[in-house]
Amino acid sequence: MDHENLRTVDPAVADALAGERTRQEETLAMIASENHVSEAVLEAQGSVLTNKYAEGYPGARYYAGCEYADEVEVLAVERAMELWGAEHVNVQPHSGTQANQAVYFAALDPGDKILSLELNHGGHLSHGHPANFTGQVYEVEQYQVDPETGYIDYEGLHEIAEEFDPDIIVSGYSAYPRTVDWERIQDAAEAVDAYHLADIAHITGLVAAGVHPSPVGVADFVTGSTHKTIRAGRGGIVMCDEEHADDIDKAVFPGGQGGPLMHNVAGKAVGFKEALEPEFDEYARQVVDNARVLGDTLADHGLSLVSGGTDNHLVLVDLRESHPDLSGGDAEDALAAANVVLNGNTVPGETRSPFDPSGIRAGTAGLTTRGFDEDAMREVGDLIHRVVDATAAGDHEDVVYEVGERVVELCGEYPLYER
Ligand code: DSN
């Protein structure tokens, strides 16, 4: 990754990339949707396939010269089918949101009804938020987590479905720390003759490794992004049964997208190959073990976890009980200054705003890729608590400095890229 040519042509961008590399090396990437891909995935993404237009699908492209693009896409599809056991996979969506868009376009008409989890309760913008096209093109109703337990309120979901009569129910979440019971949501969908879209963007890797139950074969459509826990090239993916295959393919192209980003498809293929190795299952198990230890450590320090803990790769801390005057945004800023990069996040029953929320969300996929184990995560939990506590007390400069120094040391013990 010396970027020799880039440095000659464009030193400004070369400097920014060098800065980003150092930033990733010397900070803890704990944004729950991020990970560190391998050098092989990086090479595939930065390859000559960025030059190639390949509208269409393998064997049926609109342009000549697609023989190698075809090879790469077939590999990505076959590997995805093996990883998730899906009958049909489309690997062309540019992102998880574009994957969701394809499902809505294939399954719904404008004005149809979406039932999805509220954003503050762990949902996602592309599940029907007013600021997203889904909130403007479709009629949206939302379900919630149980305010007492923090778990999905499956009974409430069932009742709302009966009243609202949706055309599609969306499950799968971006800030939900617990195992999802896909069958219960499928039951609710079947009871009202609605489709079920399970968006596993965050937990693709956990599902592939069998450390979270799979919605494939349960829900009608399963979408995901490919760069989070599955650790492949950046983008999205749609999975479905054969009966929906044509509709999904048409909805991705030409319905919603133009030419596929074949360099990203190559990155997906390579990451999927890596994820088929037995070591990946160990990795995914470690991600979950690390998140549990992180959650336990924060809870031992008196921080309140939404749902009381975690079953997956993330913890969601509600600061209101332990540090009522500290916002998630301020905690995020102080932690970033201490080289711990996570995000302020809304929490169920949010009383602040999305720009200044009451919680922080932290994931363990990136640190686990670097080799962090339970002992290291315990220390990370201690460091996070120190910064949060000092920031709430309004006296955090020294602590931020000390923690920041320790984080750089820790990062040195778990290096990222070799060259
Ligand atoms: N931005 C991602 C996340 O952080 O959850 C989802 O798109």
Side-chain angles (χ1 to χ4, degrees):
M1 278 189 285
D2 45 17
H3 297 145
E4 240 173 75
N5 296 302
L6 177 62
R7 181 146 295 286
T8 306
V9 172
D10 191 339
V13 169
D15 282 350
L17 293 191
E20 174 61 13
R21 180 183 167 152
T22 305
R23 186 194 72 78
Q24 290 188 21
E25 274 168 356
E26 297 186 350
T27 61
L28 300 181
M30 300 190 75
I31 290 175
S33 46
E34 293 185 1
N35 207 334
H36 301 289
V37 297
S38 69
E39 291 182 1
V41 171
L42 287 180
E43 283 175 16
Q45 292 217 159
S47 69
V48 289
L49 273 173
T50 193
N51 298 332
K52 189 68 195 108
Y53 258 118
E55 284 107 325
Y57 291 98
R61 305 283 190 184
Y62 286 83
Y63 293 140
C66 289
E67 54 272 31
Y68 298 108
D70 280 6
E71 270 181 35
V72 164
E73 185 164 344
V74 167
L75 284 169
V77 168
E78 286 175 353
R79 290 168 183 170
M81 288 167 83
E82 195 177 340
L83 274 173
W84 289 286
E87 281 183 17
H88 180 75
V89 181
N90 188 307
V91 295
Q92 292 190 8
H94 301 334
S95 72
T97 289
Q98 263 53 64
N100 289 340
Q101 181 187 36
V103 171
Y104 301 132
F105 196 51
L108 305 180
D109 290 316
D112 276 357
K113 296 175 170 181
I114 295 176
L115 175 58
S116 58
L117 186 68
E118 237 178 67
L119 190 63
N120 285 350
H121 288 236
H124 190 258
L125 286 167
S126 67
H127 297 177
H129 192 274
N132 183 263
F133 80 94
T134 45
Q136 298 175 26
V137 173
Y138 306 107
E139 189 181 338
V140 179
E141 184 59 78
Q142 305 223 274
Y143 58 95
Q144 299 190 330
V145 298
D146 182 311
E148 296 301 316
T149 64
Y151 284 63
I152 298 290
D153 177 5
Y154 293 99
E155 274 175 30
L157 186 168
H158 228 292
E159 282 164 22
I160 297 171
E162 297 281 354
E163 267 170 43
F164 181 59
D165 193 21
D167 297 288
I168 196 164
I169 297 181
V170 183
S171 65
Y173 314 107
S174 57
Y176 183 66
R178 291 301 183 178
T179 300
V180 183
D181 188 338
W182 310 113
E183 275 82 5
R184 281 189 84 176
I185 299 173
Q186 180 65 18
D187 287 347
E190 282 175 15
V192 296
D193 202 19
Y195 288 118
H196 176 191
L197 159 60
D199 175 351
I200 60 168
H202 267 256
I203 56 171
T204 41
L206 309 186
V207 169
V211 299
H212 187 292
S214 175
V216 174
V218 178
D220 301 283
F221 305 98
V222 178
T223 55
S225 43
T226 50
H227 46 274
K228 296 186 173 101
T229 48
I230 192 66
R231 214 171 48 182
R234 179 165 286 271
I237 189 170
V238 184
M239 298 178 256
C240 60
D241 285 347
E242 209 45 62
E243 65 169 310
H244 299 301
D246 283 351
D247 289 342
I248 286 295
D249 287 352
K250 283 185 196 137
V252 173
F253 172 83
Q257 295 188 171
L261 309 178
M262 288 311 302
H263 54 304
N264 279 6
V265 173
K268 292 174 191 181
V270 175
F272 294 165
K273 181 169 194 289
E274 293 170 344
L276 283 164
E277 298 297 325
E279 296 77 38
F280 186 82
D281 293 357
E282 281 167 39
Y283 161 74
R285 263 192 296 278
Q286 190 67 51
V287 167
V288 173
D289 289 347
N290 282 351
R292 196 181 53 247
V293 168
L294 175 66
D296 288 350
T297 308
L298 295 173
D300 288 347
H301 282 297
L303 296 179
S304 170
L305 303 184
V306 172
S307 83
T310 181
D311 301 324
N312 59 25
H313 64 301
L314 69 85
V315 296
L316 184 59
V317 178
D318 186 338
L319 293 166
R320 288 174 299 186
E321 233 174 79
S322 58
H323 301 87
D325 297 327
L326 179 66
S327 75
D330 288 343
E332 173 188 311
D333 289 346
L335 284 160
N339 298 325
V340 180
V341 183
L342 45 66
N343 65 292
N345 212 93
T346 52
V347 293
E350 183 58 69
T351 41
R352 291 177 183 261
S353 83
F355 301 105
D356 189 30
S358 301
I360 51 174
R361 184 188 67 160
T364 54
L367 299 197
T368 308
T369 292
R370 296 181 81 139
F372 280 62
D373 59 9
E374 286 95 328
D375 286 342
M377 286 314 301
R378 218 164 274 121
E379 178 170 3
V380 170
D382 290 342
L383 295 174
I384 290 175
H385 168 256
R386 275 188 73 193
V387 174
V388 165
D389 224 27
T391 309
D395 179 21
H396 61 288
E397 267 181 36
D398 290 349
V399 169
V400 163
Y401 179 79
E402 284 167 30
V403 169
E405 294 276 287
R406 177 59 192 142
V407 167
V408 172
E409 269 173 29
L410 257 181
C411 289
E413 291 166 28
Y414 299 91
L416 249 185
Y417 296 112
E418 295 298 319
R419 57 188 182 85

